[in-house]
Amino acid sequence: MTLLTRPSITPTNSRRAARLESWLPSQCQVCHAWPASPLCEDCITQFARSEPRCERCALPLAGGAKVCGACLREPPPMEACLCAVTYQWPWTECLARFKFRQDTGLAGTLASVLLRTEGVGAALAKADAVVPLPLSAQRLSERGYNQALLLAHRLTSKGVRADLLARTRHTAPQHAMTREQRLKSLLGAFTVDPSKYSELRGRRVVLIDDVMTTGATLRAAAGALREAGASHITALVVARTGD
């Protein structure tokens, strides 16, 4: 008996699918305009409005402050964190389709929204390496692709390095944990092979992920890159929760 396995979705065939979709009629997933890209320009303009955020963790801020109190008390291992949108409708639905429902064609649209965010283009241009947040082997097997890697390849055509950062073990979904549980579960969850240290020492790194909640995962990943010698780390995320 032949066992059927889920095909792996690679950046190459994802880009091919995106090119094919650009030739086919489509419908906006929010307003259902026809024809349109997965998200039409009007919806992106309406729902991707910029707002003041902490420079270090992208938490929404009021009152003109540049850095939130939490980052002042305990600075994260990344110098900057840039976020396109707040994690709310319609982005919750779009990201769920992209991340959990095999709708990899959304990678290009989500990347374009992120590229509109002030500072993202400059961060990518200055980067020596663009590092997608890695998945555990179990999660990658379940999903069939790494959504952060697909985003990275749509954000830039150079410098993407999926080989620099590794996830050492599988962890439970972070949304179901308290902050203390998240921090404990992520201890040692990311590592850089010592043979790669020379490629990170003194370099500027951009770290890519799709959604940021408490920031514990990005902090753990950035901490591993910092220990390997990275001199400057900027995190880029499509969406950030508001608390």
Side-chain angles (χ1 to χ4, degrees):
M1 180 177 66
T2 301
L3 296 178
L4 298 179
T5 58
R6 178 183 295 175
S8 177
I9 299 175
T10 67
T12 298
N13 58 37
S14 176
R15 287 193 292 269
R16 289 172 180 168
R19 287 196 295 270
L20 176 60
E21 288 174 0
S22 70
W23 289 89
L24 297 174
S26 184
Q27 191 174 29
C28 175
Q29 294 185 11
V30 178
C31 71
H32 306 298
W34 186 283
S37 61
L39 288 177
C40 72
E41 185 63 30
D42 287 344
C43 285
I44 291 174
T45 300
Q46 180 179 354
F47 296 109
R49 296 173 181 172
S50 62
E51 60 179 308
R53 294 180 179 276
C54 173
E55 295 177 349
R56 301 295 295 270
C57 75
L59 191 72
L61 285 180
K66 298 294 185 181
V67 180
C68 71
C71 288
L72 287 173
R73 291 190 299 271
E74 187 180 348
M78 53 268 194
E79 279 73 19
C81 183
L82 303 175
C83 165
V85 298
T86 297
Y87 189 58
Q88 61 189 16
W89 191 89
W91 306 109
T92 48
E93 174 63 19
C94 292
L95 285 159
R97 291 175 64 92
F98 173 52
K99 190 171 183 175
F100 302 118
R101 304 177 202 163
Q102 300 281 311
D103 196 347
T104 57
L106 278 167
T109 298
L110 294 172
S112 69
V113 172
L114 186 50
L115 284 168
R116 298 179 187 213
T117 304
E118 184 178 358
V120 168
L124 290 168
K126 294 176 182 177
D128 296 303
V130 177
V131 179
L133 197 78
L135 297 178
S136 67
Q138 178 178 330
R139 188 77 71 213
L140 184 59
S141 177
E142 292 169 352
R143 190 167 297 162
Y145 59 96
N146 180 352
Q147 73 279 358
L149 178 58
L150 298 186
L151 279 172
H153 278 292
R154 300 309 297 271
L155 286 167
T156 180
S157 59
K158 62 179 183 179
V160 177
R161 296 292 304 274
D163 61 322
L164 292 179
L165 184 65
R167 193 152 191 158
T168 60
R169 67 176 186 275
H170 180 70
T171 56
Q174 299 296 295
H175 63 80
M177 300 182 184
T178 65
R179 182 178 185 275
E180 291 73 18
Q181 289 172 331
R182 290 186 186 104
L183 295 173
K184 184 177 181 180
S185 73
L186 289 165
L187 285 174
F190 297 95
T191 188
V192 176
D193 190 308
S195 67
K196 304 286 186 181
Y197 281 16
S198 61
E199 300 181 60
L200 285 167
R201 192 172 299 115
R203 305 299 177 88
R204 297 179 69 94
V205 175
V206 168
L207 183 61
I208 307 290
D209 201 10
D210 58 333
V211 178
M212 181 179 183
T213 52
T214 64
T217 302
L218 279 172
R219 283 172 178 255
L225 292 168
R226 180 72 72 195
E227 289 179 8
S231 62
H232 187 283
I233 301 170
T234 298
L236 304 183
V237 296
V238 176
R240 170 76 154 99
T241 56
D243 51 22

